[in-house]
Amino acid sequence: MSVSYKDLGLVNTREMFKKAMAGKYAVPAYNFNNMEQIQAIITACLETQSPVILQVSSGARKYADQTLLQYMGQGAVEMMKVHAKAKGLKEIPIALHLDHGDTFELAKSCIDNGFSSIMIDGSHHPYEKNVELTRQVVDYAHERDITVEGELGVLAGIEDDVVAEKSTYTKPEEVVDFVEKTKVDSLAISIGTSHGANKFKPEQCTKNADGVYIPPKLRFDILEEIEKQIPGFTIVLHGSSSVPMEAVNIINANGGALKDSVGIPEEQLRKAAQYNVCKVNIDSDGRLWMTAAIRKHFNDKPGDFDPRQYLGPARIALIEMYKHKNQNVLGSAGNA
Ligand code: G3H
Ligand code: 13P
Ligand code: ZN
């Protein structure tokens, strides 16, 4: 039996993006796989009064179980309502989004199981096939008032099963045609971001006095050209973790072995949010802070073995990180 997101108290992204476009900020799209992550996201977004997109990859859906996941989305809304009332805060809008859906069947399954927003990523297909697949998902989704994100251009790094050696920047001249033919509500573009904690090779970067890698700047010229071609249309940035050296250093000081980690500097994300970028995807930074807190905990207290003893501090680290993003990077705080 299928269930609509509306019955779960979730919202689609239409109103969120309209407000973000007018207010020149970006809505955070945070990935989650488990309870501590979803608790941290909801707590941080409620306390900073930010709208939020809870994002689930196909791998996350397999990991968490697709049935349980529906209830996690519903539970996130219910938890937010109870905490909002207890703290005297306004309720925040929450969307449940499929990240990097790659087939119509997966998109349909998520739609039928309470998702309010879908990404169909056909960017690895030839252009015409990308158009066809995206349009098929849009038709099914729009009949149910669900919003759809497409993708044009390929990000370097790993997009679920799709391994892209090199990034192929989005071609601004294709954007209008793609949006007209597919009727997508938003579009993920490639302007130099990529997935994971190693977004650039060391040889692509310069180093500052502290030995920290400074990556090349994002291609704001492409973003500007896209805005000229299709004014007022919602753009999405994937691969937008900043890979904070503080977290990487804690991991490595406590037995980890992360090498040549480099992310997108926060000031570039702040700048992107001033453009038509209304959704910014962040996953790796959460993974890093969670790992840093857990590694440190085990080093400091090797006798602990109750998961609450190490997942509790990890959850606190996540809450701090998400609040920081909303307040100081994306500008979504105070816009619920
Ligand atoms: O874009 C990919 C996200 O970071 C999700 O990664 O497929 O390992 O869950 P995942
Ligand atoms: P990061 O790996 O930079 O966090 O990107 C996540 C993402 O784009 C999810 O779709
Ligand atoms: Zn992504």
Side-chain angles (χ1 to χ4, degrees):
M1 202 184 64
S2 72
V3 58
S4 162
Y5 69 93
K6 293 180 184 173
D7 298 327
L8 307 183
L10 295 157
V11 298
N12 67 26
T13 56
R14 196 166 295 120
E15 209 41 47
M16 284 186 188
F17 289 162
K18 208 168 132 191
K19 282 183 70 181
M21 181 74 73
K24 291 200 177 297
Y25 61 88
V27 178
Y30 297 131
N31 290 71
F32 77 96
N33 304 266
N34 68 19
M35 184 186 79
E36 282 76 12
Q37 290 169 325
I38 201 169
Q39 286 174 323
I41 296 168
I42 295 301
T43 303
C45 291
L46 177 64
E47 289 183 2
T48 57
Q49 290 285 282
S50 169
V52 67
I53 297 168
L54 294 172
Q55 197 157 258
V56 179
S57 70
S58 62
R61 195 161 180 253
K62 279 192 207 112
Y63 178 84
D65 186 281
Q66 68 176 66
T67 307
L68 181 57
L69 207 98
Q70 175 190 318
Y71 292 98
M72 286 172 88
Q74 186 172 7
V77 174
E78 294 307 318
M79 173 187 153
M80 178 277 295
K81 285 184 178 168
V82 171
H83 287 225
K85 196 165 179 204
K87 292 173 182 164
L89 292 168
K90 193 175 136 189
E91 294 183 2
I92 60 168
I94 302 174
L96 183 62
H97 175 82
L98 170 65
D99 189 27
H100 294 285
D102 56 352
T103 61
F104 174 76
E105 290 69 28
L106 174 61
K108 179 178 181 304
S109 166
C110 289
I111 290 170
D112 294 345
N113 283 282
F115 280 58
S116 61
S117 172
I118 296 289
M119 176 192 193
I120 181 71
D121 179 1
S123 62
H124 47 286
H125 289 301
Y127 182 77
E128 288 307 331
K129 171 77 186 160
N130 186 2
V131 169
E132 187 190 321
L133 174 63
T134 306
R135 180 62 198 249
Q136 189 187 10
V137 171
V138 168
D139 285 345
Y140 190 77
H142 280 184
E143 274 172 31
R144 292 154 182 83
D145 200 18
I146 284 161
T147 38
V148 179
E149 172 186 327
E151 178 167 329
L152 258 186
V154 179
L155 274 68
I158 297 168
E159 297 206 356
D160 277 347
D161 297 342
V162 189
V163 182
E165 285 273 297
K166 272 198 286 168
S167 119
T168 313
Y169 296 123
T170 305
K171 297 185 184 78
E173 64 277 12
E174 282 184 353
V175 171
V176 175
D177 185 67
F178 186 81
V179 169
E180 276 175 9
K181 283 185 175 149
T182 60
K183 308 272 184 261
V184 281
D185 303 279
S186 61
L187 186 68
I189 60 163
S190 173
I191 56 166
T193 63
S194 63
H195 294 103
N198 295 79
K199 298 193 187 298
F200 301 93
K201 296 211 169 76
E203 55 270 28
Q204 292 176 284
C205 305
T206 52
K207 264 190 180 178
N208 73 8
D210 302 322
V212 174
Y213 290 118
I214 310 295
K217 290 206 162 40
L218 297 180
R219 293 287 305 272
F220 287 103
D221 57 318
I222 297 178
L223 190 52
E224 279 167 19
E225 189 51 38
I226 290 171
E227 290 198 11
K228 266 192 221 149
Q229 302 266 344
I230 186 155
F233 187 76
T234 300
I235 299 299
V236 177
L237 271 196
H238 282 245
S240 297
S241 280
S242 294
V243 188
M245 272 309 117
E246 201 189 334
V248 172
N249 290 341
I250 295 172
I251 291 172
N252 287 343
N254 290 279
L258 297 182
K259 273 190 73 187
D260 298 333
S261 306
V262 49
I264 309 296
E266 289 183 345
E267 62 274 12
Q268 294 208 35
L269 297 168
R270 238 176 263 133
K271 184 172 166 183
Q274 299 297 304
Y275 288 82
N276 289 352
V277 171
C278 296
K279 172 174 180 271
V280 166
N281 286 14
I282 296 171
D283 186 357
S284 297
D285 282 355
R287 296 176 177 190
L288 288 167
W289 276 116
M290 206 166 180
T291 303
I294 292 171
R295 277 197 177 278
K296 183 168 185 328
H297 186 88
F298 279 136
N299 230 4
D300 292 348
K301 299 188 175 163
D304 279 359
F305 65 95
D306 178 339
R308 292 170 296 187
Q309 290 166 321
Y310 51 90
L311 292 177
R315 188 171 58 192
I316 291 171
L318 286 179
I319 293 172
E320 288 309 305
M321 190 270 288
Y322 294 130
K323 283 186 173 180
H324 165 71
K325 300 277 181 199
N326 297 350
Q327 288 166 332
N328 306 318
V329 184
L330 308 178
S332 60
N335 286 298

mmCIF file of all heavy atoms in Angstrom, residues 70-94:
data_model
loop_
_atom_site.group_PDB
_atom_site.id
_atom_site.type_symbol
_atom_site.label_atom_id
_atom_site.label_comp_id
_atom_site.label_asym_id
_atom_site.label_seq_id
_atom_site.Cartn_x
_atom_site.Cartn_y
_atom_site.Cartn_z
ATOM 1 N N GLN A 70 10.765 5.065 6.017
ATOM 2 C CA GLN A 70 9.519 5.831 5.942
ATOM 3 C C GLN A 70 9.133 6.333 7.343
ATOM 4 O O GLN A 70 8.730 7.472 7.532
ATOM 5 C CB GLN A 70 8.425 4.947 5.361
ATOM 6 C CG GLN A 70 7.059 5.571 5.348
ATOM 7 C CD GLN A 70 6.007 4.528 4.980
ATOM 8 O OE1 GLN A 70 6.206 3.710 4.085
ATOM 9 N NE2 GLN A 70 4.890 4.549 5.671
ATOM 10 N N TYR A 71 9.295 5.446 8.330
ATOM 11 C CA TYR A 71 8.915 5.815 9.700
ATOM 12 C C TYR A 71 9.936 6.762 10.323
ATOM 13 O O TYR A 71 9.600 7.558 11.191
ATOM 14 C CB TYR A 71 8.730 4.549 10.545
ATOM 15 C CG TYR A 71 7.516 3.768 10.080
ATOM 16 C CD1 TYR A 71 7.649 2.692 9.222
ATOM 17 C CD2 TYR A 71 6.232 4.174 10.457
ATOM 18 C CE1 TYR A 71 6.538 2.015 8.757
ATOM 19 C CE2 TYR A 71 5.121 3.500 9.981
ATOM 20 C CZ TYR A 71 5.276 2.413 9.137
ATOM 21 O OH TYR A 71 4.168 1.757 8.664
ATOM 22 N N MET A 72 11.182 6.679 9.858
ATOM 23 C CA MET A 72 12.183 7.631 10.341
ATOM 24 C C MET A 72 11.832 9.046 9.858
ATOM 25 O O MET A 72 11.946 10.012 10.600
ATOM 26 C CB MET A 72 13.595 7.231 9.881
ATOM 27 C CG MET A 72 14.147 6.036 10.643
ATOM 28 S SD MET A 72 15.702 5.441 9.952
ATOM 29 C CE MET A 72 16.881 6.437 10.836
ATOM 30 N N GLY A 73 11.377 9.130 8.603
ATOM 31 C CA GLY A 73 10.951 10.431 8.072
ATOM 32 C C GLY A 73 9.769 10.958 8.866
ATOM 33 O O GLY A 73 9.734 12.127 9.283
ATOM 34 N N GLN A 74 8.802 10.092 9.103
ATOM 35 C CA GLN A 74 7.614 10.470 9.869
ATOM 36 C C GLN A 74 8.015 10.820 11.311
ATOM 37 O O GLN A 74 7.548 11.801 11.884
ATOM 38 C CB GLN A 74 6.630 9.307 9.870
ATOM 39 C CG GLN A 74 5.301 9.624 10.498
ATOM 40 C CD GLN A 74 4.299 8.475 10.294
ATOM 41 O OE1 GLN A 74 4.663 7.394 9.799
ATOM 42 N NE2 GLN A 74 3.060 8.700 10.660
ATOM 43 N N GLY A 75 8.912 10.013 11.865
ATOM 44 C CA GLY A 75 9.379 10.242 13.235
ATOM 45 C C GLY A 75 10.111 11.560 13.366
ATOM 46 O O GLY A 75 10.005 12.245 14.397
ATOM 47 N N ALA A 76 10.842 11.948 12.327
ATOM 48 C CA ALA A 76 11.572 13.221 12.356
ATOM 49 C C ALA A 76 10.580 14.371 12.492
ATOM 50 O O ALA A 76 10.793 15.317 13.265
ATOM 51 C CB ALA A 76 12.393 13.373 11.081
ATOM 52 N N VAL A 77 9.477 14.289 11.747
ATOM 53 C CA VAL A 77 8.463 15.347 11.815
ATOM 54 C C VAL A 77 7.826 15.383 13.209
ATOM 55 O O VAL A 77 7.680 16.450 13.817
ATOM 56 C CB VAL A 77 7.375 15.134 10.731
ATOM 57 C CG1 VAL A 77 6.245 16.140 10.897
ATOM 58 C CG2 VAL A 77 7.975 15.224 9.340
ATOM 59 N N GLU A 78 7.468 14.204 13.720
ATOM 60 C CA GLU A 78 6.805 14.149 15.038
ATOM 61 C C GLU A 78 7.737 14.647 16.137
ATOM 62 O O GLU A 78 7.333 15.401 17.023
ATOM 63 C CB GLU A 78 6.342 12.717 15.340
ATOM 64 C CG GLU A 78 5.252 12.202 14.413
ATOM 65 C CD GLU A 78 4.035 13.137 14.330
ATOM 66 O OE1 GLU A 78 3.604 13.660 15.371
ATOM 67 O OE2 GLU A 78 3.532 13.353 13.208
ATOM 68 N N MET A 79 9.001 14.233 16.073
ATOM 69 C CA MET A 79 9.980 14.676 17.075
ATOM 70 C C MET A 79 10.133 16.203 17.008
ATOM 71 O O MET A 79 10.169 16.882 18.033
ATOM 72 C CB MET A 79 11.334 14.008 16.789
ATOM 73 C CG MET A 79 12.453 14.530 17.673
ATOM 74 S SD MET A 79 14.060 13.852 17.168
ATOM 75 C CE MET A 79 15.151 15.155 17.727
ATOM 76 N N MET A 80 10.232 16.729 15.786
ATOM 77 C CA MET A 80 10.374 18.179 15.620
ATOM 78 C C MET A 80 9.192 18.909 16.264
ATOM 79 O O MET A 80 9.376 19.900 16.976
ATOM 80 C CB MET A 80 10.486 18.493 14.118
ATOM 81 C CG MET A 80 10.588 19.953 13.754
ATOM 82 S SD MET A 80 9.008 20.787 13.668
ATOM 83 C CE MET A 80 8.192 19.976 12.289
ATOM 84 N N LYS A 81 7.971 18.386 16.049
ATOM 85 C CA LYS A 81 6.769 19.052 16.588
ATOM 86 C C LYS A 81 6.791 19.071 18.115
ATOM 87 O O LYS A 81 6.497 20.098 18.740
ATOM 88 C CB LYS A 81 5.503 18.334 16.107
ATOM 89 C CG LYS A 81 5.184 18.618 14.659
ATOM 90 C CD LYS A 81 3.874 17.950 14.281
ATOM 91 C CE LYS A 81 3.513 18.270 12.846
ATOM 92 N NZ LYS A 81 2.438 17.444 12.342
ATOM 93 N N VAL A 82 7.115 17.934 18.706
ATOM 94 C CA VAL A 82 7.147 17.839 20.181
ATOM 95 C C VAL A 82 8.203 18.778 20.759
ATOM 96 O O VAL A 82 7.949 19.521 21.712
ATOM 97 C CB VAL A 82 7.411 16.369 20.618
ATOM 98 C CG1 VAL A 82 7.676 16.283 22.113
ATOM 99 C CG2 VAL A 82 6.228 15.488 20.226
ATOM 100 N N HIS A 83 9.399 18.780 20.142
ATOM 101 C CA HIS A 83 10.479 19.638 20.654
ATOM 102 C C HIS A 83 10.166 21.115 20.415
ATOM 103 O O HIS A 83 10.513 21.964 21.237
ATOM 104 C CB HIS A 83 11.813 19.265 20.000
ATOM 105 C CG HIS A 83 12.367 17.959 20.525
ATOM 106 N ND1 HIS A 83 13.681 17.787 20.867
ATOM 107 C CD2 HIS A 83 11.770 16.771 20.776
ATOM 108 C CE1 HIS A 83 13.868 16.547 21.312
ATOM 109 N NE2 HIS A 83 12.719 15.911 21.255
ATOM 110 N N ALA A 84 9.517 21.421 19.293
ATOM 111 C CA ALA A 84 9.169 22.818 19.008
ATOM 112 C C ALA A 84 8.224 23.337 20.089
ATOM 113 O O ALA A 84 8.402 24.436 20.621
ATOM 114 C CB ALA A 84 8.524 22.932 17.629
ATOM 115 N N LYS A 85 7.254 22.514 20.427
ATOM 116 C CA LYS A 85 6.277 22.920 21.446
ATOM 117 C C LYS A 85 6.970 23.095 22.800
ATOM 118 O O LYS A 85 6.777 24.112 23.481
ATOM 119 C CB LYS A 85 5.180 21.847 21.539
ATOM 120 C CG LYS A 85 3.958 22.334 22.252
ATOM 121 C CD LYS A 85 2.784 21.415 22.008
ATOM 122 C CE LYS A 85 1.599 21.957 22.774
ATOM 123 N NZ LYS A 85 0.620 20.931 23.066
ATOM 124 N N ALA A 86 7.802 22.130 23.157
ATOM 125 C CA ALA A 86 8.470 22.170 24.467
ATOM 126 C C ALA A 86 9.396 23.381 24.581
ATOM 127 O O ALA A 86 9.545 23.959 25.653
ATOM 128 C CB ALA A 86 9.268 20.887 24.679
ATOM 129 N N LYS A 87 10.014 23.766 23.471
ATOM 130 C CA LYS A 87 10.987 24.869 23.511
ATOM 131 C C LYS A 87 10.361 26.204 23.095
ATOM 132 O O LYS A 87 11.064 27.218 23.011
ATOM 133 C CB LYS A 87 12.163 24.559 22.587
ATOM 134 C CG LYS A 87 13.018 23.389 23.078
ATOM 135 C CD LYS A 87 14.079 23.010 22.051
ATOM 136 C CE LYS A 87 14.867 21.806 22.556
ATOM 137 N NZ LYS A 87 15.648 21.140 21.537
ATOM 138 N N GLY A 88 9.075 26.195 22.781
ATOM 139 C CA GLY A 88 8.401 27.433 22.367
ATOM 140 C C GLY A 88 8.922 27.936 21.025
ATOM 141 O O GLY A 88 8.978 29.145 20.784
ATOM 142 N N LEU A 89 9.296 27.018 20.125
ATOM 143 C CA LEU A 89 9.825 27.413 18.814
ATOM 144 C C LEU A 89 8.794 27.144 17.724
ATOM 145 O O LEU A 89 7.928 26.277 17.874
ATOM 146 C CB LEU A 89 11.087 26.603 18.499
ATOM 147 C CG LEU A 89 12.316 26.891 19.367
ATOM 148 C CD1 LEU A 89 13.392 25.829 19.145
ATOM 149 C CD2 LEU A 89 12.873 28.273 19.066
ATOM 150 N N LYS A 90 8.936 27.865 16.616
ATOM 151 C CA LYS A 90 8.085 27.630 15.447
ATOM 152 C C LYS A 90 8.470 26.293 14.800
ATOM 153 O O LYS A 90 9.660 25.951 14.763
ATOM 154 C CB LYS A 90 8.355 28.774 14.451
ATOM 155 C CG LYS A 90 7.400 28.902 13.325
ATOM 156 C CD LYS A 90 7.761 30.166 12.534
ATOM 157 C CE LYS A 90 7.702 29.850 11.068
ATOM 158 N NZ LYS A 90 8.219 30.890 10.203
ATOM 159 N N GLU A 91 7.482 25.561 14.299
ATOM 160 C CA GLU A 91 7.797 24.310 13.599
ATOM 161 C C GLU A 91 8.550 24.606 12.303
ATOM 162 O O GLU A 91 8.339 25.658 11.695
ATOM 163 C CB GLU A 91 6.501 23.542 13.300
ATOM 164 C CG GLU A 91 5.831 23.064 14.577
ATOM 165 C CD GLU A 91 4.573 22.229 14.320
ATOM 166 O OE1 GLU A 91 4.241 21.988 13.139
ATOM 167 O OE2 GLU A 91 3.936 21.831 15.313
ATOM 168 N N ILE A 92 9.423 23.686 11.883
ATOM 169 C CA ILE A 92 10.199 23.909 10.654
ATOM 170 C C ILE A 92 9.720 22.973 9.536
ATOM 171 O O ILE A 92 9.274 21.862 9.799
ATOM 172 C CB ILE A 92 11.716 23.694 10.890
ATOM 173 C CG1 ILE A 92 12.009 22.249 11.361
ATOM 174 C CG2 ILE A 92 12.273 24.702 11.879
ATOM 175 C CD1 ILE A 92 13.480 21.869 11.347
ATOM 176 N N PRO A 93 9.817 23.422 8.278
ATOM 177 C CA PRO A 93 9.450 22.528 7.168
ATOM 178 C C PRO A 93 10.531 21.478 6.915
ATOM 179 O O PRO A 93 11.725 21.806 6.887
ATOM 180 C CB PRO A 93 9.321 23.475 5.961
ATOM 181 C CG PRO A 93 9.981 24.742 6.345
ATOM 182 C CD PRO A 93 10.187 24.775 7.827
ATOM 183 N N ILE A 94 10.099 20.223 6.730
ATOM 184 C CA ILE A 94 11.033 19.108 6.507
ATOM 185 C C ILE A 94 10.643 18.374 5.224
ATOM 186 O O ILE A 94 9.490 17.955 5.073
ATOM 187 C CB ILE A 94 10.998 18.108 7.686
ATOM 188 C CG1 ILE A 94 11.343 18.817 9.007
ATOM 189 C CG2 ILE A 94 11.948 16.935 7.442
ATOM 190 C CD1 ILE A 94 11.194 17.919 10.250
#
